[in-house]
Amino acid sequence: MGNKKRNLERRGDERRSFEAPRTIDVSDQQAMRFWSQRLGVPQEEIAEAVREVGPNSTAVALKLEAPQEERTAPPSPPLR
């Protein structure tokens, strides 16, 4: 029996995934350290971006890639 098959038997049929999670849990310190390192910004900026755009990691990354002056939400259009 090969090593690969033995490893699968030990873990069951669970496959290991090295994909980043699709959402950011700001209450999880380990996740915040991961995203801070991955995105290259302080945890506080990530938490602020999550408050503004939600926990979707792609939306947060896009928000943080915007120039500093564009990181704030645009003003809401006037109601008619």
Side-chain angles (χ1 to χ4, degrees), residues 5-68:
K5 186 167 183 160
R6 257 185 273 146
N7 287 342
L8 284 176
E9 287 174 358
R10 268 188 257 142
R11 292 193 314 254
D13 284 334
E14 176 186 331
R15 299 279 184 202
R16 296 179 94 184
S17 172
F18 296 103
E19 274 185 41
R22 291 190 174 125
T23 59
I24 299 174
D25 181 357
V26 295
S27 66
D28 181 342
Q29 286 302 309
Q30 184 177 359
M32 289 299 284
R33 282 191 298 275
F34 168 82
W35 285 110
S36 178
Q37 185 175 35
R38 177 97 180 238
L39 298 173
V41 297
Q43 293 180 24
E44 296 79 22
E45 285 189 39
I46 294 169
E48 183 178 330
V50 168
R51 281 191 295 275
E52 290 182 25
V53 299
N56 180 283
S57 59
T58 302
V60 170
L62 289 172
K63 176 74 173 170
L64 294 173
E65 286 178 1
Q68 189 71 29

